[in-house]
Amino acid sequence: MEPVDLRSGRVLLDQPGPDDAAAMVAALNRPEIERVLTTPWPYGPEHAEDFIGRHVPEGWRTEREFTWALRAPGSPELAGVIGLRTGRPDVGYWTVPASRGRGLCAEAVRLVADWWFARGGAALAWECVAGNVASLGVARAAGFRFTGAAPSHGPYRDGAHPLSWHGVLDPGPRRRHDGWPV
């Protein structure tokens, strides 16, 4: 499948490119990232180049994972990355510090979910390591329903499955759900 750009009045989702590599390295080497993402640590330029040049195109080609760069419309600056893995299916995301707290990531999740559901996709799963209140806030704002705390579905860098918060987003009208931790 060829990559698809998605947009709203607040965000543009397009393909990450070589010009995004330095911003990825800077964002993914922040100390608060190590504990909450499964990306390599430390995250070097070679990781960004492999992600942008191999992983992202291969995901689209095989339809196993759809990945987008998150940007403000009209800006070339990387605000974050969002991906939808189709096997489970689930969604994951991160943002650069300057883009946090502005609702951009929740808007991006809604765009990706709408695109996925329009294609006939099933409910989307979400998880984050317990205590990652930023990710929880995005999932809640995007309309996910909290389903509980349990070990992570996928392994982290060390092979462990840390205690994680889980949620689901069903096709159909979105609303905020009660029952979230914190």
Side-chain angles (χ1 to χ4, degrees), residues 25 28-29 34 39-47 157:
V25 171
L28 295 175
N29 276 312
E34 179 185 15
T39 53
W41 184 268
Y43 195 86
E46 69 279 9
H47 298 116
R157 266 182 241 98

Side-chain angles (χ1 to χ4, degrees), residues 1-2 54-68 82-92 112 115-116 119 124:
M1 166 177 224
E2 289 297 314
R54 185 193 59 79
H55 181 85
V56 172
E58 179 71 7
W60 281 94
R61 187 184 66 72
T62 62
E63 298 189 25
R64 283 191 298 234
E65 183 170 356
F66 305 115
T67 303
W68 293 268
I82 183 167
L84 188 156
R85 291 177 292 239
T86 61
R88 190 171 169 208
D90 67 350
V91 64
V112 168
W115 175 79
W116 175 248
R119 296 180 78 236
L124 284 174

Side-chain angles (χ1 to χ4, degrees), residues 131-150:
N132 184 348
V133 295
S135 184
L136 178 146
V138 169
R140 184 176 186 185
F144 280 79
R145 178 174 38 86
F146 183 70
T147 58

Side-chain angles (χ1 to χ4, degrees), residues 13-177:
L13 302 178
D14 64 7
Q15 293 306 286
D19 290 346
D20 298 318
M24 290 178 73
V25 171
L28 295 175
N29 276 312
R30 296 185 58 85
E32 70 270 19
I33 293 295
E34 179 185 15
R35 161 181 110 67
V36 298
L37 292 182
T38 60
T39 53
W41 184 268
Y43 195 86
E46 69 279 9
H47 298 116
E49 291 166 10
D50 183 62
F51 180 76
I52 292 165
R54 185 193 59 79
H55 181 85
V56 172
E58 179 71 7
W60 281 94
R61 187 184 66 72
T62 62
E63 298 189 25
R64 283 191 298 234
E65 183 170 356
F66 305 115
T67 303
W68 293 268
L70 167 60
R71 305 178 201 285
S75 173
E77 300 298 316
L78 182 72
V81 171
I82 183 167
L84 188 156
R85 291 177 292 239
T86 61
R88 190 171 169 208
D90 67 350
V91 64
Y93 41 82
W94 59 265
T95 55
V96 301
S99 297
R100 295 179 188 155
R102 297 171 35 203
L104 300 177
C105 198
E107 177 73 9
V109 171
R110 287 188 288 269
L111 280 173
V112 168
D114 289 347
W115 175 79
W116 175 248
F117 295 144
R119 296 180 78 236
L124 284 174
W126 158 85
E127 71 177 53
C128 73
V129 67
N132 184 348
V133 295
S135 184
L136 178 146
V138 169
R140 184 176 186 185
F144 280 79
R145 178 174 38 86
F146 183 70
T147 58
S152 68
H153 179 74
Y156 274 61
R157 266 182 241 98
D158 61 0
H161 292 263
L163 182 65
S164 297
W165 291 330
H166 298 263
V168 66
L169 181 64
D170 295 307
R174 307 255 166 66
R175 65 180 183 87
R176 287 201 177 215
H177 297 275

